[in-house]
Amino acid sequence: MSVIESIRRDHARLAGIRRDIHAHPELAFKEHRTAELVAGHLEALGIEVHRGIGRTGVVGVVRGGRGLRAIGLRADMDALPMQERNTFAHQSRHSGCMHACGHDGHTTMLLAAAEVLARERNFDGTVYLVFQPAEEGEAGARAMIEDGLFERFPMASIYGMHNWPGMPAGRFAVHSGPAMASADRFDIEVLGNGAHAAMPHLGNDPVVAAAALVQAIQTITSRTLDPLDAAVVSTTMFHAGEAYNVIPDRASLSGTVRAFSATVQSRVEARLAALCRGIGEAYEVRIDMTYQRGYPPTVNTAGEAAVCARVAAELVGAENVELDARPSMGAEDFAFFLERRPGCYVWIGNGPGEGGCTLHNPHYDFNDDIIPVGAAYWVRLVETQLNLPS
Ligand SMILES: [Zn+2]
Ligand SMILES: [Zn+2]
């Protein structure tokens, strides 16, 4: 019996686990129930378990043979602070909290893989099962790294998987190179001199200066980056003033920057600072900017991506593995792992979804049909990377 067939036999039970996690979503670093569910499940399989890595993270250790090679497989466990609009039986029991990104499914697929790995041990080396907290904006991956993940569990490479709505179930996308973008934030304060709106010459208008800055910021991508280097700079907040007849003394702008390389990130940050200086001088206002780096770009290493593509192709057929899918401008904190170890983060098709439902939509639900193929991918990846000595 193939790996996927053996997992399919347990499908109803695995879907039950997934729906139980879905019904009990927990926010970043508060995944206590989920972490305990994971740890208990692994322990019942005889797997060595380490709790509390990066606060609520869990690591399981599965050994096969005597090999010294080791790899890591990662699933994320956290939910989002949003209200679920689904009405099915496994809808969220927690108001204002929802598994709208499918991390319930990711956790379940890795647990399902753990069952097979612990039972069959058809590999030579060590697999670290990394169940991370706080993927959604709170950098749980970084918390695990700062807690000594790679020193305590030395792995040569690490792998991630995310469901992808809109891509048919049973398909994979594997990027060699960037898969997801970086996500940085900027906050800008434009400080002028308030005045009577009928006497603008007596003040320094921060609104006009800020408006000029919004326009100038749009030239960063169009005029200073290589057209082949994709980036997004979006000013998403602009606040100033509170009366018809008052020129306010300050305006504030904030926004997000997305890119696929650290070089582009640095270039955008430098240009933002230069435009703030230049426009401040031109309009005789003071402009202060703070630029906050968030998640780095998620960049797969070529060798590991090639192995993942091969494993997926063996599982679902080469025609169902997209090697040229466009990367996403969304961000993913698996990037922190890839900054320190080679590895690959793949997308697994979640199917069309109800009404073309996307991630982070209040009607989203993880597609239980893909649990066997996702779990089998993990098992086959381990058996390929840590293949038995011939
Ligand atoms: Zn998400
Ligand atoms: Zn997610």
Side-chain angles (χ1 to χ4, degrees):
M1 186 166 43
S2 71
V3 169
I4 193 163
E5 283 164 1
S6 77
I7 298 169
R8 277 202 191 109
R9 282 194 317 185
D10 295 321
H11 189 234
R13 180 177 56 80
L14 295 168
I17 294 172
R18 204 284 298 177
R19 291 175 182 212
D20 176 64
I21 300 173
H22 187 93
H24 301 91
E26 295 171 302
L27 296 178
F29 293 122
K30 297 195 175 95
E31 307 91 337
H32 301 291
R33 181 188 186 274
T34 313
E36 202 42 51
L37 182 151
V38 165
H41 197 94
L42 297 177
E43 280 171 343
L45 297 168
I47 293 174
E48 176 187 324
V49 170
H50 299 260
R51 291 172 169 81
I53 317 279
R55 294 162 67 179
T56 39
V58 176
V59 177
V61 184
V62 196
R63 292 193 177 85
R66 294 188 181 164
L68 297 175
R69 293 171 298 171
I71 65 170
L73 310 179
R74 171 275 210 168
D76 37 16
M77 301 189 290
D78 59 320
L80 284 154
M82 57 186 282
Q83 186 64 38
E84 178 156 9
R85 300 274 172 237
N86 292 310
T87 53
F88 43 53
H90 61 283
Q91 71 177 100
S92 171
R93 306 283 192 271
H94 302 158
S95 177
C97 186
M98 178 190 176
H99 268 297
C101 206
H103 300 182
D104 48 349
H106 303 164
T107 296
T108 305
M109 290 191 291
L110 193 52
L111 286 176
E115 293 181 8
V116 180
L117 292 169
R119 187 174 67 226
E120 314 276 341
R121 301 199 191 241
N122 187 27
F123 59 93
D124 184 42
T126 303
V127 185
Y128 296 113
L129 307 167
V130 179
F131 292 87
Q132 78 148 83
E135 191 287 319
E136 298 287 0
E138 302 285 332
R142 189 173 57 199
M144 291 189 91
I145 292 167
E146 288 170 355
D147 220 356
L149 178 76
F150 290 126
E151 291 75 35
R152 294 166 70 178
F153 310 102
M155 57 191 88
S157 53
I158 186 163
Y159 302 86
M161 171 159 47
H162 206 293
N163 76 96
W164 210 248
M167 191 161 80
R171 278 178 83 90
F172 286 84
V174 184
H175 301 87
S176 185
M180 308 283 285
S182 57
D184 299 340
R185 293 171 174 181
F186 63 86
D187 294 284
I188 294 170
E189 282 287 320
V190 183
L191 304 163
N193 269 322
H196 194 297
M199 302 164 207
H201 59 293
L202 299 179
N204 298 84
D205 189 344
V207 177
V208 175
L213 188 53
V214 171
Q215 298 282 15
I217 284 171
Q218 286 311 305
T219 65
I220 295 175
T221 49
S222 67
R223 300 292 87 178
T224 57
L225 295 182
D226 182 328
L228 298 179
D229 281 334
V232 177
V233 186
S234 290
T235 304
T236 53
M237 290 182 266
F238 187 141
H239 299 291
E242 42 203 345
Y244 286 104
N245 57 353
V246 177
I247 291 171
D249 62 0
R250 65 175 57 216
S252 61
L253 304 174
S254 297
T256 185
V257 176
R258 308 293 171 120
F260 290 122
S261 76
T263 312
V264 172
Q265 269 178 294
S266 298
R267 180 82 176 123
V268 171
E269 181 179 357
R271 284 303 300 156
L272 274 169
L275 290 169
C276 287
R277 278 195 306 274
I279 290 191
E281 190 170 332
Y283 287 79
E284 298 183 310
V285 292
R286 194 176 116 199
I287 304 184
D288 298 328
M289 179 187 74
T290 54
Y291 189 94
Q292 202 188 328
R293 296 240 170 174
Y295 290 176
T298 300
V299 184
N300 294 331
T301 45
E304 284 66 26
V307 173
C308 291
R310 197 172 82 230
V311 167
E314 285 166 7
L315 203 60
V316 297
E319 68 280 11
N320 288 312
V321 181
E322 297 179 26
L323 300 176
D324 55 358
R326 289 174 165 234
S328 165
M329 278 290 171
E332 161 63 65
D333 85 341
F334 189 75
F336 289 112
F337 295 135
L338 288 177
E339 280 191 327
R340 285 160 180 84
R341 289 291 181 282
C344 179
Y345 168 92
V346 303
W347 293 340
I348 178 170
N350 198 53
E354 297 284 322
C357 193
T358 62
L359 297 172
H360 295 205
N361 180 290
H363 293 285
Y364 168 86
D365 193 29
F366 181 83
N367 182 354
D368 286 325
D369 292 347
I370 69 173
I371 293 173
V373 68
Y377 164 81
W378 281 140
V379 173
R380 290 298 303 140
L381 179 60
V382 169
E383 293 175 349
T384 304
Q385 284 294 46
L386 305 177
N387 57 329
L388 292 165
S390 50

